């Protein structure tokens, strides 16, 4: 028998979780997900869902017809450290970051990309083309298509224990207290929203830091690619600084989130430490928020990426 919700999550904690999502204006909610989705995808069971509703969780409808905004459920689940596949994947990424740094050596990950047809913009058979970075930044000769729509590649990820200098650390501190958050589409590129609420995805603080780096005369670039930690790999944005001819990645919002969720020791992983070891650079200055990894006759093809 499971413990009552109040024994697992204090009322104040539940209220904080709901208040956090209420920073997002209601006009950005679509209310398309049901209670079954909340439980199966985000580990929010019926008792916890009712408790969240008592604390003001936005919804539409009543009873079995109740519907919720998917990003609200996602962010509440993460805030409460619920054992969703997403949270477990984040924990694995933090663990991988720490493991790579402690070993002090390059890590090789084999990635499998399963691509789906873009389905719009062309007729005839699909013609899948991985972006150039997958081959350029991988282990030489490892990029191959093993069957139509199935690619494998070996990623080489470096490791270091680098803490950025005072000037770069001061720059990174501008967003170090922002909370990593899955934003709904209406504010996904809205820097004003993130400045006001301190809630941000990986893209918005990256753009802010790059603009401020240019103003301060610090050489930086926009890194985009994959956040790699077996078995899950996801698209990601971060800032990179040029140091002695190398580009070194930084991601203060991600490191602060790992520490906040108890996944890393903030003494070992402060916001101004490099995240080399889990980010794989594929693109510089990507034009799209959700940049393509594989194209299908010019269109962006859906892709599922597994790693080991």
């Amino acid at each position: 028998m499971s413990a009552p919700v109040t024994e697992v999550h204090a009322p104040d904690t539940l209220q904080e979780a709901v208040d956090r999502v209420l920073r997002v204006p209601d006009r950005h909610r679509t209310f398309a997900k049901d209670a079954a989705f909340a439980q199966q995808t985000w580990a929010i069971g019926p008792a916890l869902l009712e408790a969240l509703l008592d604390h003001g969780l936005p919804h539409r409808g009543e009873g079995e017809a109740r519907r919720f905004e998917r990003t609200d459920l996602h962010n509440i689940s993460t805030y409460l450290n619920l054992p969703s596949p997403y949270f477990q994947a984040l924990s694995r990424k933090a663990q991988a970051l720490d493991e790579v740094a402690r070993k002090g050596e390059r890590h090789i990950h084999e990635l499998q990309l399963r691509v789906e047809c873009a389905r719009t913009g062309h007729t005839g058979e699909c013609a899948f083309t991985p972006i150039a970075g997958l081959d350029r930044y991988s282990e030489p000769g490892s990029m191959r298509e093993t069957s139509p729509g199935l690619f494998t590649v070996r990623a080489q990820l470096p490791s270091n224990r680098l803490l950025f200098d005072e000037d770069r650390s001061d720059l990174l501190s501008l967003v170090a207290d922002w909370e990593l958050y899955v934003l709904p589409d209406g504010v996904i590129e809205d820097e004003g929203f993130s400045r006001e609420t301190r809630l941000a995805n990986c893209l918005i603080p990256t753009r802010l830091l790059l603009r401020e780096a240019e103003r301060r005369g610090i050489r930086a670039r926009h890194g985009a690619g994959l956040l790699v930690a077996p078995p899950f790999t996801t698209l990601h944005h971060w800032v990179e600084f040029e140091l002695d001819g190398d580009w070194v990645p930084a991601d203060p919002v991600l490191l602060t989130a790992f520490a906040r969720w108890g996944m890393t020791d903030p003494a070992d992983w402060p916001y101004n430490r490099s995240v080399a070891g889990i980010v794989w650079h594929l693109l510089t200055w990507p034009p799209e928020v959700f940049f393509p990894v594989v194209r299908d006759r010019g269109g962006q093809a859906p892709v599922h990426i597994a790693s080991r």
Side-chain angles (χ1 to χ4, degrees), residues 159-234:
S159 174
N160 64 47
R161 298 174 179 272
L162 187 143
L163 290 176
F164 292 102
D165 60 24
E166 183 177 354
D167 288 344
R168 290 167 180 79
S169 296
D170 184 62
L171 171 62
L172 296 172
S173 72
L174 296 177
V175 297
D177 66 340
W178 289 17
E179 296 182 60
L180 190 61
Y181 196 89
V182 178
L183 299 175
D185 292 342
V187 291
I188 205 166
E189 297 184 71
D190 189 340
E191 185 180 312
F193 170 83
S194 289
R195 283 181 176 274
E196 179 181 351
T197 63
R198 304 319 237 200
L199 304 177
N201 55 18
C202 58
L203 174 67
I204 293 173
T206 296
R207 288 178 172 173
L208 183 153
L209 291 172
L210 288 166
R211 189 173 64 251
E212 183 63 20
E214 182 178 16
R215 190 186 73 81
R216 299 184 184 197
I218 296 174
R219 187 163 168 76
R221 72 179 185 182
H222 187 151
L226 301 176
L227 188 59
V228 182
F232 301 102
T233 292
T234 53

Side-chain angles (χ1 to χ4, degrees), residues 27-76:
R27 65 181 179 275
H28 298 303
R29 294 185 168 86
T30 59
F31 299 106
K33 299 301 182 181
D34 60 11
F37 176 84
Q39 181 168 15
Q40 294 166 7
T41 304
W42 298 113
I44 301 175
L48 177 55
L49 187 61
E50 288 298 327
L52 291 166
L53 286 164
D54 290 342
H55 287 280
L57 176 64
H59 68 285
R60 292 290 182 271
E62 298 297 332
E64 294 184 0
R66 277 190 305 218
R67 294 295 181 268
F68 307 91
E69 161 59 32
R70 64 174 181 82
T71 58
D72 288 346
L73 299 173
H74 185 149
N75 290 300
I76 283 177

